[in-house]
Amino acid sequence: MISFVETILGTVLSSFVIVIISSFMALMVDFLFPSFAKWTRMLLILLVITVVLQPAFEHLTLIRDIAHSISMMFISIYPILTASMIASGGAFGLLNFQPAMLLFANGAIVLTERVLIPLLTAALIFDLASRILPSVPFSKMSDLIRTTLLGAVSAVVATYSIFITAGGTMSWALSGLASEPIKELIKQNVPLIGSFMTESLGTIGRYSSGATIFAGGWLITSIWTIALVPSIKTLLTAFFYRWTAALIEPFAQEDITGILDDIGKTLFVLCAVSFLIAFAFIYTALFSIILVKLITTMK
Amino acid sequence: MRLKDGIFLSGIMLITLLSSTILLLFSEETEDIFLPIVKLAMGIWIIQSIFILFGHSLL
């Protein structure tokens, strides 16, 4: 766990240290050569963009690559899954699974890869353009893209929960006194996507608590961990952007903190998008496990 | 030319970078004269891109 945090710290923090030092240097240059202020601002913005955009784009490509490989995996695995569903016959009717859900999961992944992540990149570029040239702003456009994406992702997750509850066999075991404070904590402290996170985690939990009977708690936990690592990584990076913005706000120029804040916001939405991938992965993994378990025990 | 090729976004980025560089070179008074031209360029680029995206292929 410590080394996991350290890898994130290593790549992200080094670029943020550069941002902090360079904004301080710009302060000094402004003090020494006041007539040079316009150039200092522009050079500082260009420097910050080149340094700071790299982790953000790394995460965008990371999530896009994961989406691509998972959609390829689904294409190869679904014929086998469907065939074994037919082969298992009556044993499978017990669980009341929805085969259409598999198609839906793959559709969500393709949507992520083809539409959501390019749109997020567009939002990032609009933000940068409006910061570089404040007289030609695109802030409304990027805000609109972000809120629309968040709406689309929440709609997809809500449809997942409809699918799962329509199945009828899954029950929600985690919602007790224990998880309520944690949910409230997440909802209050993660900006923009906090309530979305608790809702979607609740939906996945509702599904996997039904599957625990078949698969066992540790297996479920490991699947959850594998599926949620990219999301957590993205979330931590987004927080680093906002923390850096908060740290340098007193002495840096408004443009720099604005850029950091905007990139942080976009990464929060990216985290929400990565939940879609995690969702599809968890669903398919549990589905395969239960299928194998059923086939082996019913024989 | 389609949106997914990224030409629209690179055009916007290019206009932004070019005009901000030119604005750096000019003095404060010429900036006021030059800014409407930048807005004009951006408007032409956006409207043209919209026409290409949603218009007829021969347009």
Side-chain angles (χ1 to χ4, degrees), chain B residues 13-49:
Chain B
M13 215 55 210
L14 215 61
I15 292 173
T16 309
L17 283 178
L18 273 179
S19 49
S20 58
T21 318
I22 294 169
L23 283 178
L24 269 184
L25 297 171
F26 284 175
S27 60
E28 294 285 334
E29 304 88 65
T30 26
E31 211 177 294
D32 295 336
I33 307 167
F34 191 71
L35 217 57
I37 302 174
V38 172
K39 291 203 170 193
L40 207 65
M42 197 63 98
I44 288 173
W45 176 249
I46 290 173
I47 290 170
Q48 188 249 10
S49 302

Side-chain angles (χ1 to χ4, degrees), chain A residues 18-155:
Chain A
I18 296 173
V19 169
I20 293 172
I21 291 174
S22 60
S23 54
F24 189 72
M25 294 286 273
L27 206 69
M28 300 262 285
V29 171
D30 263 357
F31 181 68
L32 293 174
F33 312 103
S35 57
F36 205 56
K38 234 164 70 171
W39 284 86
T40 316
R41 174 188 166 269
M42 199 62 206
L43 288 177
L44 182 64
I45 284 183
L46 286 182
L47 185 85
V48 164
I49 284 174
T50 43
V51 169
V52 141
L53 261 193
Q54 206 192 350
F57 267 112
E58 242 168 47
H59 278 90
L60 275 170
T61 45
L62 173 81
I63 302 289
R64 203 196 55 209
D65 287 349
I66 290 174
H68 185 73
S69 55
I70 281 188
S71 79
M72 286 296 119
M73 185 192 87
F74 282 177
I75 286 172
S76 57
I77 209 175
Y78 281 171
I80 304 168
L81 275 184
T82 328
S84 40
M85 266 170 80
I86 298 166
S88 62
F92 213 65
L94 185 77
L95 265 174
N96 199 7
F97 265 111
Q98 313 243 341
M101 182 94 170
L102 290 178
L103 185 70
F104 187 72
N106 200 14
I109 295 291
V110 172
L111 183 79
T112 306
E113 194 197 340
R114 291 289 151 85
V115 180
L116 300 186
I117 290 184
L119 272 181
L120 262 188
T121 318
L124 209 60
I125 287 174
F126 281 136
D127 272 334
L128 289 183
S130 47
R131 290 288 170 187
I132 292 174
L133 201 61
S135 43
V136 188
F138 287 99
S139 48
K140 281 207 178 78
M141 177 69 105
S142 56
D143 254 3
L144 187 71
I145 289 176
R146 271 197 293 267
T147 44
T148 314
L149 281 193
L150 209 54
V153 171
S154 334

